[in-house]
Amino acid sequence: MTMLDIHVAALNSKIASYHEFLSRYSKIKKVVYGFVEGNDPCFYRGFIDHAIPADWEIELWAAGNKNRVYQIHKDIDWRRFPKKRVCFFVDRDLSDLIPEKLVRDINIYVTDGYSIENDIANKGTCKRILTEVCGFENAKHEDLDQLCNLFEQELENFFQAMIPVMAWIVFWRRSGKRAGLNDILMRDLFSLDKGCLKTEINPKGKANTGIYIHEQCNVAYCSTVDVSIIETQLKNGNIYRKYTRGKYVFWFLIEFCLSVKKIMHVTLSASNGMTIVGNRARIPDSLLQFLNNTFCRQIEIMGAR
């Protein structure tokens, strides 16, 4: 297959990021390449920048949903491209609970939890946001420790409060029901006051959370369906922490910091928080190992030539 044939195949597949990759790929430039599930690759860009040598660059493309990422991986002619130089980053989602088979390969990274946000929403990241963004840079260490301990306490409360919501989402996925999970708005279900989580009893005037999430996602609600077995499954081994949707967890992280802020140096919200938080989170161990075995190893190989 010629390079022209490859470009035509990319255009026919209607995956623009794949076509752009083919047009930008260089055998000689010090660049590694990647495709990320979703619409915002900034988290991964920051982690990769810290892992590769300073004279190397990373080019990432937001490839859309998981199936599109896998399709690009399938379409690439791996006889022409080193696998360790072109990597793919996908969310685990609820694949272990559905169950759903994930595509495995040396250059495909699957998050430990639901998504990369689950690894980022932790005590260490919270402390950095408070000190570097929210005006707590001169706070006493004891006060910061108290705030971060409160964060962990309220995050656990948030996780437990989300068990019924995630149980319904698991049920929908197992039943093949399509639901726009972005339409479940955390601000309708919770609020935070000075770091303390408040749960709405009647979200948006609905009788309960179950009815609210069904109406938000345009899924018919059936009162006879019992998801308590799924709730028990989520509670077993505390896996609810791992399988609470990452965007919901990230919302909590941002809202907690906003609720205890003093002086804001920049505007912080769930929408722009990806960019602000990405450089302040510690890279997950599994991701660091993956990068060492792919990008970093390929860079070593190319440097030895």
Side-chain angles (χ1 to χ4, degrees):
M1 179 181 286
T2 67
M3 186 58 69
L4 178 59
D5 293 331
I6 295 175
H7 280 281
V8 171
L11 288 172
N12 290 337
S13 71
K14 298 182 180 180
I15 301 178
S17 54
Y18 178 30
H19 178 64
E20 186 178 0
F21 158 73
L22 293 175
S23 66
R24 292 189 58 79
Y25 182 83
S26 170
K27 291 183 178 181
I28 59 174
K29 288 183 179 179
K30 292 185 174 182
V31 181
V32 289
Y33 305 88
F35 295 89
V36 179
E37 179 183 353
N39 299 313
D40 191 348
C42 64
F43 276 147
Y44 285 105
R45 182 176 290 110
F47 290 143
I48 296 168
D49 275 338
H50 284 91
I52 62 178
D55 58 340
W56 277 73
E57 298 179 6
I58 171 67
E59 290 191 7
L60 291 177
W61 286 271
N65 63 33
K66 186 183 282 85
N67 289 335
R68 280 184 171 265
V69 177
Y70 287 153
Q71 186 62 51
I72 295 172
H73 180 272
K74 181 180 178 181
D75 288 346
I76 290 180
D77 182 355
W78 293 113
R79 295 168 299 180
R80 303 177 64 93
F81 302 96
K83 278 192 174 183
K84 293 183 179 180
R85 195 178 179 190
V86 185
C87 292
F88 300 77
F89 304 85
V90 298
D91 297 337
R92 184 173 298 276
D93 296 324
L94 297 170
S95 57
D96 296 341
L97 301 178
I98 303 305
E100 178 181 73
K101 187 176 181 180
L102 295 170
V103 177
R104 301 287 185 179
D105 205 343
I106 189 174
N107 60 344
I108 299 178
Y109 174 76
V110 181
T111 56
D112 296 321
Y114 192 106
S115 66
I116 193 68
E117 289 94 333
N118 295 69
D119 288 312
I120 287 169
N122 56 48
K123 186 176 180 179
T125 306
C126 177
K127 187 173 185 178
R128 289 199 62 180
I129 296 174
L130 291 176
T131 55
E132 298 174 19
V133 180
C134 294
F136 283 76
E137 65 271 14
N138 295 319
K140 294 181 180 179
H141 289 287
E142 293 83 357
D143 294 336
L144 279 173
D145 287 342
Q146 288 184 7
L147 282 176
C148 291
N149 289 337
L150 178 63
F151 169 79
E152 286 195 322
Q153 170 188 309
E154 295 303 311
L155 177 60
E156 176 61 22
N157 291 336
F158 174 77
F159 277 132
Q160 292 192 24
M162 284 297 295
I163 290 174
V165 175
M166 294 310 304
W168 275 115
I169 293 174
V170 171
F171 174 77
W172 293 342
R173 292 289 304 279
R174 288 176 177 174
S175 304
K177 299 181 185 298
R178 297 180 64 86
L181 301 185
N182 288 334
D183 294 327
I184 301 176
L185 305 178
M186 294 297 99
R187 67 172 181 264
D188 291 340
L189 300 177
F190 308 101
S191 60
L192 285 100
D193 181 22
K194 297 179 181 179
C196 295
L197 185 71
K198 309 292 183 181
T199 303
E200 298 294 331
I201 299 175
N202 304 112
K204 288 190 75 173
K206 307 306 176 184
N208 56 56
T209 299
I211 293 176
Y212 163 79
I213 64 173
H214 279 78
E215 292 196 5
Q216 287 294 111
C217 296
N218 198 28
V219 177
Y221 178 71
C222 181
S223 60
T224 60
V225 174
D226 184 7
V227 295
S228 61
I229 295 177
I230 302 177
E231 290 183 21
T232 300
Q233 184 179 3
L234 289 168
K235 293 175 183 177
N236 186 27
N238 296 336
I239 64 171
Y240 56 84
R241 297 180 66 93
K242 181 177 180 179
Y243 293 113
T244 299
R245 187 169 184 250
K247 284 184 172 55
Y248 302 156
V249 181
F250 189 73
W251 174 89
F252 175 85
L253 169 65
I254 298 300
E255 291 300 314
F256 176 88
C257 294
L258 286 173
S259 73
V260 299
K261 71 179 177 67
K262 285 186 176 179
I263 303 170
M264 291 295 293
H265 298 309
V266 298
T267 301
L268 180 65
S269 67
S271 59
N272 74 354
M274 292 281 193
T275 303
I276 295 172
V277 176
N279 292 326
R280 292 175 169 85
R282 181 172 295 179
I283 184 172
D285 291 339
S286 62
L287 178 56
L288 179 59
Q289 182 178 355
F290 174 82
L291 296 176
N292 285 336
N293 291 335
T294 53
F295 286 154
C296 295
R297 179 58 186 143
Q298 183 63 32
I299 290 171
E300 290 178 2
I301 294 172
M302 295 178 68
R305 291 174 181 170

PDB file of all heavy atoms in Angstrom, residues 93 148 258 294:
ATOM      1  N   ASP A  93     -13.691   2.649  31.707  1.00  0.00           N
ATOM      2  CA  ASP A  93     -15.138   2.770  31.853  1.00  0.00           C
ATOM      3  C   ASP A  93     -15.648   1.672  32.798  1.00  0.00           C
ATOM      4  O   ASP A  93     -15.030   1.387  33.808  1.00  0.00           O
ATOM      5  CB  ASP A  93     -15.846   2.714  30.496  1.00  0.00           C
ATOM      6  CG  ASP A  93     -15.477   3.892  29.603  1.00  0.00           C
ATOM      7  OD1 ASP A  93     -15.304   4.995  30.136  1.00  0.00           O
ATOM      8  OD2 ASP A  93     -15.366   3.705  28.382  1.00  0.00           O
ATOM      9  N   CYS A 148      -7.078  19.043  53.443  1.00  0.00           N
ATOM     10  CA  CYS A 148      -6.895  17.854  52.606  1.00  0.00           C
ATOM     11  C   CYS A 148      -7.514  16.613  53.252  1.00  0.00           C
ATOM     12  O   CYS A 148      -8.020  15.727  52.551  1.00  0.00           O
ATOM     13  CB  CYS A 148      -5.414  17.631  52.314  1.00  0.00           C
ATOM     14  SG  CYS A 148      -4.715  18.891  51.221  1.00  0.00           S
ATOM     15  N   LEU A 258     -13.207  25.076  45.091  1.00  0.00           N
ATOM     16  CA  LEU A 258     -13.921  26.343  44.986  1.00  0.00           C
ATOM     17  C   LEU A 258     -14.630  26.695  46.292  1.00  0.00           C
ATOM     18  O   LEU A 258     -14.706  27.859  46.675  1.00  0.00           O
ATOM     19  CB  LEU A 258     -14.950  26.274  43.851  1.00  0.00           C
ATOM     20  CG  LEU A 258     -14.407  26.321  42.425  1.00  0.00           C
ATOM     21  CD1 LEU A 258     -15.527  26.077  41.430  1.00  0.00           C
ATOM     22  CD2 LEU A 258     -13.721  27.649  42.135  1.00  0.00           C
ATOM     23  N   THR A 294       7.058   2.082  26.119  1.00  0.00           N
ATOM     24  CA  THR A 294       6.698   2.423  24.738  1.00  0.00           C
ATOM     25  C   THR A 294       7.510   3.611  24.243  1.00  0.00           C
ATOM     26  O   THR A 294       8.578   3.452  23.657  1.00  0.00           O
ATOM     27  CB  THR A 294       5.184   2.692  24.631  1.00  0.00           C
ATOM     28  OG1 THR A 294       4.795   3.681  25.605  1.00  0.00           O
ATOM     29  CG2 THR A 294       4.393   1.423  24.858  1.00  0.00           C
TER      30      THR A 294
END
